[in-house]
Amino acid sequence: MLKRKIRNLAVGLSAFGLAVSGVAATEGTANAASYGWVYIAFPKWLGNCASGNGKVTGIQAYTDYWNTNWDMGDDLVYGKVALGQRNTVIANLACKTSRGGYYQYVFRDDVVPTRNNQTVWVGQTGWTRN
Protein backbone atom coordinates (compact mmCIF):
# COMPACT_ATOMS: atom_id res chain seq x y z
CA MET A 1 0.00 0.00 0.00
CA LEU A 2 2.78 2.44 0.93
CA LYS A 3 4.73 1.54 -2.23
CA ARG A 4 1.62 2.24 -4.34
CA LYS A 5 1.17 5.66 -2.70
CA ILE A 6 4.82 6.53 -3.29
CA ARG A 7 4.59 5.39 -6.93
CA ASN A 8 1.39 7.44 -7.47
CA LEU A 9 3.06 10.47 -5.90
CA ALA A 10 6.09 10.05 -8.18
CA VAL A 11 3.85 9.78 -11.26
CA GLY A 12 1.92 12.87 -10.18
CA LEU A 13 5.11 14.86 -9.61
CA SER A 14 6.44 13.77 -13.03
CA ALA A 15 3.25 14.96 -14.69
CA PHE A 16 3.48 18.25 -12.77
CA GLY A 17 7.10 18.67 -13.90
CA LEU A 18 6.10 18.14 -17.54
CA ALA A 19 3.27 20.64 -17.22
CA VAL A 20 5.55 23.24 -15.65
CA SER A 21 8.27 22.74 -18.26
CA GLY A 22 5.61 23.08 -20.99
CA VAL A 23 4.50 26.39 -19.52
CA ALA A 24 8.07 27.60 -19.26
CA ALA A 25 8.73 26.62 -22.87
CA THR A 26 5.72 28.55 -24.18
CA GLU A 27 6.17 31.53 -21.87
CA GLY A 28 9.06 32.97 -23.90
CA THR A 29 7.08 33.00 -27.14
CA ALA A 30 4.82 35.91 -26.13
CA ASN A 31 5.71 39.47 -27.08
CA ALA A 32 7.78 41.15 -24.41
CA ALA A 33 5.81 43.72 -22.48
CA SER A 34 7.04 47.22 -21.78
CA TYR A 35 6.51 47.96 -18.10
CA GLY A 36 5.96 51.28 -16.42
CA TRP A 37 4.63 52.94 -13.31
CA VAL A 38 1.34 54.83 -13.29
CA TYR A 39 -0.69 56.76 -10.77
CA ILE A 40 -3.87 54.85 -9.97
CA ALA A 41 -6.45 57.20 -8.46
CA PHE A 42 -9.78 56.33 -6.86
CA PRO A 43 -11.72 59.63 -7.05
CA LYS A 44 -15.13 60.34 -5.59
CA TRP A 45 -16.43 61.45 -9.03
CA LEU A 46 -16.18 57.81 -10.24
CA GLY A 47 -18.43 56.57 -7.43
CA ASN A 48 -15.82 55.75 -4.79
CA CYS A 49 -16.94 56.08 -1.15
CA ALA A 50 -20.36 57.23 -2.33
CA SER A 51 -22.17 55.46 0.51
CA GLY A 52 -22.52 57.94 3.38
CA ASN A 53 -20.87 60.72 1.31
CA GLY A 54 -17.38 59.49 2.27
CA LYS A 55 -13.87 60.46 1.26
CA VAL A 56 -11.11 57.99 0.23
CA THR A 57 -8.43 57.88 2.95
CA GLY A 58 -6.75 54.54 2.26
CA ILE A 59 -6.20 52.05 -0.55
CA GLN A 60 -5.32 48.38 -0.73
CA ALA A 61 -4.66 47.71 -4.42
CA TYR A 62 -3.32 45.06 -6.77
CA THR A 63 -2.30 44.99 -10.42
CA ASP A 64 -0.92 42.04 -12.37
CA TYR A 65 2.64 43.16 -11.45
CA TRP A 66 2.38 45.01 -8.15
CA ASN A 67 0.41 45.29 -4.90
CA THR A 68 0.25 47.41 -1.79
CA ASN A 69 -0.99 46.69 1.66
CA TRP A 70 -2.99 49.63 3.00
CA ASP A 71 -1.58 52.91 1.63
CA MET A 72 -3.17 55.56 3.83
CA GLY A 73 -3.65 59.30 3.47
CA ASP A 74 -5.15 59.97 0.04
CA ASP A 75 -6.93 58.46 -2.99
CA LEU A 76 -3.80 57.70 -5.04
CA VAL A 77 -1.23 54.89 -5.39
CA TYR A 78 1.72 54.40 -7.75
CA GLY A 79 1.62 50.94 -9.36
CA LYS A 80 3.59 48.86 -11.85
CA VAL A 81 1.77 47.90 -15.05
CA ALA A 82 2.36 46.55 -18.55
CA LEU A 83 2.03 49.52 -20.89
CA GLY A 84 -0.36 49.24 -23.84
CA GLN A 85 -1.86 46.03 -22.47
CA ARG A 86 -4.81 45.12 -20.27
CA ASN A 87 -3.91 45.16 -16.57
CA THR A 88 -6.28 43.88 -13.94
CA VAL A 89 -6.78 46.28 -11.04
CA ILE A 90 -8.43 45.11 -7.83
CA ALA A 91 -8.86 47.46 -4.90
CA ASN A 92 -10.44 47.99 -1.51
CA LEU A 93 -10.88 51.47 -0.06
CA ALA A 94 -10.96 52.92 3.42
CA CYS A 95 -13.58 55.66 3.44
CA LYS A 96 -14.06 58.36 6.04
CA THR A 97 -17.15 60.41 6.83
CA SER A 98 -17.93 62.96 9.52
CA ARG A 99 -19.57 60.12 11.49
CA GLY A 100 -16.77 57.54 11.18
CA GLY A 101 -15.39 55.27 8.53
CA TYR A 102 -16.10 52.17 6.48
CA TYR A 103 -14.48 49.94 3.87
CA GLN A 104 -15.56 49.64 0.25
CA TYR A 105 -14.62 46.97 -2.29
CA VAL A 106 -14.03 48.99 -5.44
CA PHE A 107 -13.99 46.58 -8.33
CA ARG A 108 -12.02 44.22 -10.46
CA ASP A 109 -11.53 45.62 -13.92
CA ASP A 110 -9.01 45.81 -16.73
CA VAL A 111 -7.33 49.12 -17.53
CA VAL A 112 -4.92 49.91 -20.37
CA PRO A 113 -2.27 52.50 -19.44
CA THR A 114 -0.31 53.74 -22.45
CA ARG A 115 2.67 55.60 -20.98
CA ASN A 116 4.86 55.82 -17.90
CA ASN A 117 3.67 58.21 -15.12
CA GLN A 118 0.19 58.40 -16.63
CA THR A 119 -2.80 58.81 -14.30
CA VAL A 120 -5.51 56.16 -14.45
CA TRP A 121 -8.73 56.95 -12.56
CA VAL A 122 -10.83 53.96 -11.46
CA GLY A 123 -14.07 53.50 -9.60
CA GLN A 124 -17.55 52.06 -9.34
CA THR A 125 -18.67 53.64 -12.61
CA GLY A 126 -15.64 52.71 -14.76
CA TRP A 127 -12.16 53.94 -15.54
CA THR A 128 -10.43 56.56 -17.64
CA ARG A 129 -6.88 57.88 -18.19
CA ASN A 130 -5.20 61.14 -19.12
Side-chain angles (χ1 to χ4, degrees), residues 2 13 35 37 39 59 78 85 89 124 126:
L2 181 58
L13 288 174
Y35 299 99
W37 291 83
Y39 296 95
I59 303 164
Y78 196 57
Q85 298 182 23
V89 174
Q124 297 293 315

Side-chain angles (χ1 to χ4, degrees), residues 28-41:
T29 60
N31 291 338
S34 174
Y35 299 99
W37 291 83
V38 298
Y39 296 95
I40 306 170

Side-chain angles (χ1 to χ4, degrees), residues 2 7 11-12 17 31 37-38 41 48 53-54 64 69 76-77 92-93 103 108 114 117 120 125-127:
L2 181 58
R7 186 178 63 234
V11 169
N31 291 338
W37 291 83
V38 298
N48 296 309
N53 199 21
D64 297 318
N69 201 3
L76 186 71
V77 292
N92 295 299
L93 302 179
Y103 293 98
R108 179 191 185 283
T114 56
N117 293 321
V120 178
T125 59
W127 74 275

Side-chain angles (χ1 to χ4, degrees), residues 84-102:
Q85 298 182 23
R86 289 185 350 196
N87 294 267
T88 300
V89 174
I90 301 170
N92 295 299
L93 302 179
C95 303
K96 184 170 175 83
T97 68
S98 59
R99 293 179 296 223
Y102 61 96

